Amino acid sequence: MAFDFKKEYKEFYMPKSKPEMVTVPPANFVAVRGSGDPNDEGGAYKAAIAVVYAISYTIKMSKSGDHRMEGYFDYVVPPLEGFWWQDGIEGVDYLNKAEFHWIALIRLPDFVTKADFDWAVAEASKKKKLDCSRAEFLTVDEGLCVQCMHIGSFDDEPATVEIMNRYLMENGFENDFSPTRLHHEIYLSDARKAPKEKWKTVIRHPARKTSTR
């Protein structure tokens, strides 16, 4: 049975539809940074998604080739994730998508080293005829966060975010956004197949205890 991150780490991938606090340990990702409206056909975001998937599947399928990764185990490629921000705004403004900065990313199993990653970038570029040179091996240490399962369109996320903000305030916490602590989404539905009203997206925000003076 292939290792499935969503099933093994349900607390990080399958939260309830009401806010909860979680402490997220460090993890490694294949990531591509960019900016602009994610809905632009042929735009930078869709190109970034192609790259992170190409590298992720190259690593997964390395078992069938000559490159051997120490500690390799078969696994299900984890879901696509994204960090989002806009200059001068805490959180995100969903009505101004052209101003988005983003990091598209997919989690890597712990056995993947930087050397393995570099091999996968070169291999994916060659096999997929895709320029994967912008991809980076990114370690993220999120720490204390609030998260909630959002059901529905991405444009309806502000209602869920408001519930999260209220939960923080009522429980002695506050958002802790910074250049390294960002609005985080994990995409559990295939937007090409599922209707918008059934899309499942984990929304996660950095948090801290409310300071008292």
Side-chain angles (χ1 to χ4, degrees), residues 22-165:
V22 61
T23 299
V24 185
N28 297 325
F29 295 82
V30 50
V32 175
R33 300 172 186 265
S35 59
D37 190 334
N39 296 320
D40 286 345
E41 286 300 327
Y45 181 70
K46 287 182 169 55
I49 291 175
V51 169
V52 296
Y53 271 113
I55 295 171
S56 295
Y57 276 97
T58 296
I59 292 170
K60 172 180 169 58
M61 298 310 297
S62 65
K63 63 183 180 180
S64 301
D66 296 330
H67 185 88
R68 292 290 182 261
M69 300 185 188
E70 185 176 352
Y72 179 95
F73 55 82
D74 194 20
Y75 65 99
V76 178
V77 171
L80 178 70
E81 308 187 29
F83 288 107
W84 301 86
W85 72 100
Q86 293 151 317
D87 294 334
I89 295 175
E90 182 176 281
V92 296
D93 175 4
Y94 295 83
L95 299 178
N96 198 6
K97 295 182 176 66
E99 299 301 316
F100 270 135
H101 301 284
W102 40 260
I103 306 173
L105 65 170
I106 293 177
R107 184 170 177 170
L108 294 169
D110 290 343
F111 64 75
V112 179
T113 66
K114 180 60 165 58
D116 292 326
F117 177 84
D118 291 342
W119 167 85
V121 169
E123 187 74 0
S125 297
K126 179 175 64 176
K127 293 286 184 64
K128 305 291 186 181
K129 294 181 170 52
L130 186 67
D131 181 7
C132 297
S133 60
R134 292 193 302 128
E136 61 181 287
F137 183 89
L138 180 65
T139 301
V140 179
D141 186 0
E142 288 191 271
L144 182 65
C145 296
V146 60
Q147 66 180 17
C148 186
M149 183 72 80
H150 170 74
I151 309 295
S153 168
F154 301 137
D155 289 336
D156 295 334
E157 287 183 8
T160 299
V161 169
E162 178 57 32
I163 293 171
M164 293 166 63
N165 289 341

Side-chain angles (χ1 to χ4, degrees), residues 160-175:
T160 299
V161 169
E162 178 57 32
I163 293 171
M164 293 166 63
N165 289 341
R166 192 180 315 126
Y167 172 86
L168 287 174
M169 183 180 65
E170 292 173 352
N171 289 276
F173 295 93
E174 60 187 2
N175 287 307

